[in-house]
């Protein structure tokens, strides 16, 4: 017999987008309101809450460490949230402080998001005695009911679940899909087994012109980077790890925190030795780097690629080490990689442009499948963050994170070649306003919502060569860009 649960808001997926959404509620002092009544529920296929697939990746993020650290601070006062203070003693936090404005490894970002997610879930339990996170539970179908509610059928993926409890039905007034995207060939390549198998083929060809394609090239040139998680269970981290329910250090009641043991070092991988132009990136439309000011000395940028703030390629441009690699290619500092508009002359290539959201079956009140609108494999959203269907926007069904694409992204030329055409960390706050206000129209008084304030997060100073990081031996983005800028200026003077 199926067990039925009810929530005001059900969040499907427990990755980075879910953590950011809940922390935005916390940082604006609105979380208690959302927990009132039927409250919030979260279903997640895995055991962990917050990290998604980030921890398995062997390359860098496209956002600085300070973007992650901002989650620990209130919007208005810029004071650190009290529940996050225990995390300042963890090695993960200290390492992020060292990275400062530099892009940290995805494995480090993923683990830190796990820590943030766990302390928040424990705080909610302490505040309301609610265990809102349901690990190893997959949403397999959604049905629209005549009374305006959603009916969600879930199944347990835990081997310990009894047959009678395998399937559960959940009813929810609102749904927030944070299901992320399917693993692309480029994503698989950036993981341990994928890299091992690909290196056996001596790769020479990458298809695509966006973030994923250049991340693959950077990985082939520089090798993998993994955060060696050496968190110790001692006096100051005991309260972070210990479950308040079962008093265990290894459960998943509030998201598993068992440290993963990583084996990757630079010396573990025999990277290919590329000659001039031997590693080719095949593109159909030219790559676009992101600039916070379109007036630059590197490249001329069309007006339609610039937003009101003067930023160029804000939603789709290359960032982080991918941007540095592309500019080094333009400045002929990096000659091992070349660009080509031809078709690859080999069937062995790394696909760096495929992009598709994780989909879930959704039926209307008559039992017919709802036909959603997609762009480049991602859900299309309206201006309120609601999912678009062939009949219009679907009321109270929202989407958040890397599985969707906004109208603004489409208008600014987001293309499938860019691979990661999802909402970045620096855009979550503004997008969150649309979702939150729409839900409040249904639940609570629509009070004025404060805009995001800048967080006074410490930049952390110079990078300290910590053996637990063993990765950031290359120059920072700012330093590299300054060097490239001087080189481009000298080239112009010679002309």
């Amino acid at each position: 017999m199926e067990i039925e649960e009810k929530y005001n808001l059900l969040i499907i997926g427990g990755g980075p987008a879910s953590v950011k959404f809940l922390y935005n509620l916390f940082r604006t002092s609105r979380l208690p309101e959302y927990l009132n009544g039927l409250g919030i529920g979260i279903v997640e296929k895995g055991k962990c809450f917050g990290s998604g697939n980030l921890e398995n990746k062997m390359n860098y993020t496209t956002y600085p460490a300070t973007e992650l650290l901002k989650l620990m601070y209130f919007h208005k006062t810029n004071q650190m949230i009290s529940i996050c203070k225990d995390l300042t003693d963890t090695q993960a936090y200290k390492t992020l402080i060292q990275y400062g404005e530099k892009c940290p490894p995805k494995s480090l970002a993923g683990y830190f998001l796990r820590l943030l997610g766990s302390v928040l879930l424990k705080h909610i339990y302490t505040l309301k005695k609610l265990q809102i996170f349901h690990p190893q539970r997959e949403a397999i179908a959604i049905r629209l009911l005549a009374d305006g509610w959603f009916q969600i059928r879930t199944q347990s993926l835990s081997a310990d679940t009894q047959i009678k409890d395998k399937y559960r039905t959940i009813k929810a007034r609102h749904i927030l899909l944070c299901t992320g995207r399917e693993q692309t060939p480029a994503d698989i390549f950036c993981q341990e087994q994928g890299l091992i198998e690909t290196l056996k083929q001596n790769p020479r060809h990458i298809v695509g012109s966006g973030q994923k394609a250049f991340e693959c090239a950077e990985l082939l040139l520089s090798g993998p980077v993994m955060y060696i998680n050496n968190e110790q269970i001692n006096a100051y981290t005991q309260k972070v790890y210990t479950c308040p329910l079962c008093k265990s250090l290894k459960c998943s009641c509030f998201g598993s925190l068992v440290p993963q043991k990583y084996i990757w070092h630079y010396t573990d991988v025999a990277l290919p030795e590329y000659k001039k132009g031997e590693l080719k990136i095949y593109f159909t439309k030219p790559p676009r780097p992101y600039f916070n000011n379109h007036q630059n000395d590197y490249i001329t940028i069309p007006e339609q690629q610039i937003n009101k703030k003067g930023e160029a390629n804000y939603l789709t441009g290359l960032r982080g080490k991918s941007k540095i690699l592309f500019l080094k290619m333009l400045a002929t500092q990096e000659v091992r990689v070349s660009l080509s508009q031809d078709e690859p002359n080999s069937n062995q290539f790394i696909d760096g442009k495929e992009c598709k959201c994780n989909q879930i079956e959704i039926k209307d009140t008559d039992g017919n499948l709802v036909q959603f609108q997609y762009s480049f494999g991602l859900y299309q959203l309206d201006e309120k963050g609601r999912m678009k269907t062939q009949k219009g926007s679907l009321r109270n069904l929202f989407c958040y994170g890397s599985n969707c694409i906004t109208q603004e992204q489409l208008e600014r030329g987001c293309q499938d070649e860019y691979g990661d055409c999802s909402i970045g960390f620096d855009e979550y706050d503004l997008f969150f306003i649309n979702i939150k206000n729409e839900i409040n129209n249904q639940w609570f008084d629509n009070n004025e919502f404060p805009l995001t304030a800048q967080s006074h997060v410490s930049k952390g100073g110079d990078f300290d060569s910590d053996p637990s990081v063993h990765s950031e031996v290359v120059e920072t983005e700012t330093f590299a860009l300054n060097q490239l800028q001087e080189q481009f200026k000298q080239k112009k003077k010679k002309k």
Side-chain angles (χ1 to χ4, degrees):
M1 184 177 177
E2 294 191 351
I3 300 173
E4 187 174 280
E5 305 168 49
K6 283 188 176 183
Y7 297 103
N8 271 332
L9 171 65
L10 180 70
I11 301 175
I12 300 178
S18 300
V19 170
K20 186 69 186 282
F21 179 77
L22 290 177
Y23 264 92
N24 274 331
L25 291 178
F26 195 110
R27 295 163 71 196
T28 53
S29 303
R30 304 301 295 271
L31 183 60
E33 296 179 40
Y34 278 68
L35 294 173
N36 286 337
L38 296 176
I40 300 173
I42 306 168
V43 291
E44 161 59 30
K45 291 190 293 185
K47 293 182 179 180
C48 302
F49 177 60
S51 58
N53 292 317
L54 283 179
E55 284 188 82
N56 300 321
K57 301 294 178 60
M58 298 183 298
N59 49 350
Y60 294 90
T61 65
T62 57
Y63 45 84
T66 50
E67 286 298 318
L68 281 173
L69 297 175
K70 283 179 183 178
L71 287 176
M72 303 173 67
Y73 292 80
F74 284 107
H75 273 298
K76 283 188 174 181
T77 63
N78 297 317
Q79 293 180 340
M80 182 177 285
I81 299 171
S82 59
I83 64 171
C84 296
K85 290 181 180 178
D86 292 332
L87 298 183
T88 59
D89 287 324
T90 62
Q91 187 62 43
Y93 173 83
K94 294 175 182 177
T95 308
L96 282 173
I97 288 292
Q98 291 171 341
Y99 273 98
E101 290 295 330
K102 291 173 282 190
C103 299
K106 290 182 179 178
S107 53
L108 172 58
Y111 184 68
F112 186 69
L113 284 167
R114 263 211 286 167
L115 292 173
L116 283 173
S118 182
V119 296
L120 181 57
L121 292 176
K122 290 176 182 176
H123 172 73
I124 291 173
Y125 177 77
T126 303
L127 186 70
K128 293 284 188 177
K129 296 299 181 220
L130 295 173
Q131 188 179 351
I132 68 171
F133 179 62
H134 305 287
Q136 294 185 283
R137 183 156 293 279
E138 179 183 19
I140 55 178
I142 298 175
R143 180 75 179 266
L144 281 59
L145 301 180
D147 58 4
W149 286 66
F150 294 98
Q151 184 183 69
I152 305 95
R153 194 161 191 254
T154 68
Q155 67 174 351
S156 174
L157 302 180
S158 173
D160 300 329
T161 304
Q162 297 182 11
I163 295 178
K164 64 184 178 107
D165 295 330
K166 184 174 178 64
Y167 295 99
R168 292 191 180 187
T169 298
I170 299 175
K171 290 186 70 175
R173 285 189 179 131
H174 307 81
I175 290 178
L176 185 61
L177 280 185
C178 300
T179 49
R181 295 183 304 187
E182 292 182 359
Q183 292 286 287
T184 67
D187 292 324
I188 296 171
F189 167 69
C190 291
Q191 298 177 16
E192 180 179 343
Q193 194 59 38
L195 179 63
I196 292 174
E197 295 300 321
T198 305
L199 290 179
K200 292 178 182 178
Q201 303 170 8
N202 196 21
R204 294 285 187 271
H205 310 283
I206 301 172
V207 176
S209 58
Q211 190 69 37
K212 286 188 180 297
F214 280 83
E215 282 180 357
C216 292
E218 175 67 27
L219 185 55
L220 287 171
L221 296 173
S222 304
V225 52
M226 293 293 280
Y227 170 65
I228 302 301
N229 186 347
N230 60 353
E231 301 282 1
Q232 299 297 316
I233 308 297
N234 51 35
Y236 66 79
T237 56
Q238 190 81 14
K239 63 179 79 173
V240 175
Y241 285 90
T242 305
C243 174
L245 281 177
C246 57
K247 309 302 179 186
S248 171
L249 301 177
K250 297 183 178 180
C251 71
S252 56
C253 299
F254 300 95
S256 172
L257 282 178
V258 177
Q260 296 186 26
K261 303 298 181 183
Y262 298 126
I263 60 173
W264 279 102
H265 300 267
Y266 275 110
T267 53
D268 291 333
V269 184
L271 296 174
E273 294 184 2
Y274 295 108
K275 298 178 182 178
K276 183 177 180 180
E278 199 168 10
L279 180 59
K280 288 186 179 294
I281 298 178
Y282 297 86
F283 68 96
T284 56
K285 296 183 180 180
R288 297 178 182 176
Y290 162 79
F291 292 101
N292 56 7
N293 188 337
H294 75 283
Q295 301 292 342
N296 63 83
D297 294 302
Y298 311 106
I299 189 171
T300 302
I301 299 173
E303 190 68 28
Q304 64 268 24
Q305 297 174 24
I306 301 166
N307 67 8
K308 295 178 181 179
K309 296 180 180 179
E311 295 172 295
N313 303 319
Y314 174 59
L315 295 168
T316 61
L318 299 173
R319 299 182 186 237
K321 297 186 182 301
S322 297
K323 173 182 173 181
I324 294 175
L325 174 60
F326 176 63
L327 294 179
K328 282 184 175 180
M329 291 166 61
L330 292 182
T332 65
Q333 284 189 15
E334 179 54 79
V335 297
R336 293 173 293 176
V337 189
S338 60
L339 295 173
S340 174
Q341 284 189 288
D342 300 327
E343 292 291 329
N345 55 7
S346 170
N347 58 4
Q348 292 185 344
F349 59 86
I350 300 172
D351 188 347
K353 68 175 185 176
E354 184 181 344
C355 185
K356 186 178 180 182
C357 62
N358 281 316
Q359 298 181 11
I360 183 171
E361 179 185 281
I362 303 177
K363 293 184 177 181
D364 62 20
T365 53
D366 297 324
N368 301 317
L369 283 174
V370 177
Q371 301 298 321
F372 289 98
Q373 294 187 30
Y374 300 92
S375 289
F376 315 121
L378 304 178
Y379 291 118
Q380 278 191 32
L381 304 183
D382 66 8
E383 69 283 356
K384 293 182 178 180
R386 299 177 301 184
M387 296 170 63
K388 286 184 175 181
T389 73
Q390 300 298 333
K391 297 179 180 179
S393 300
L394 190 55
R395 186 178 182 184
N396 298 336
L397 181 58
F398 304 89
C399 207
Y400 195 49
S402 63
N403 56 345
C404 52
I405 185 169
T406 66
Q407 188 62 37
E408 183 185 6
Q409 287 172 308
L410 291 172
E411 291 172 356
R412 295 196 181 279
C414 190
Q415 302 155 27
D416 56 343
E417 286 88 349
Y418 288 85
D420 189 9
C421 47
S422 60
I423 300 171
F425 261 79
D426 53 339
E427 299 168 57
Y428 272 138
D429 290 334
L430 180 59
F431 193 56
F432 161 75
I433 294 174
N434 293 329
I435 293 179
K436 195 190 74 63
N437 280 344
E438 175 65 15
I439 290 177
N440 276 352
N441 286 337
Q442 306 295 327
W443 289 359
F444 319 110
D445 293 334
N446 189 11
N447 296 326
E448 183 179 356
F449 184 80
L451 293 177
T452 305
Q454 293 296 318
S455 177
H456 297 160
V457 180
S458 169
K459 300 295 186 291
D462 294 332
F463 176 77
D464 183 14
S465 184
D466 189 314
S468 68
V469 182
H470 70 77
S471 59
E472 185 72 299
V473 293
V474 298
E475 65 269 65
T476 66
E477 180 175 349
T478 302
F479 178 75
L481 291 177
N482 287 339
Q483 277 194 327
L484 286 165
Q485 191 172 36
E486 288 300 318
Q487 188 167 344
F488 276 97
K489 285 180 179 179
Q490 292 174 7
K491 275 191 172 184
K492 284 187 175 181
K493 287 180 180 179
K494 289 180 181 180
K495 290 181 181 180

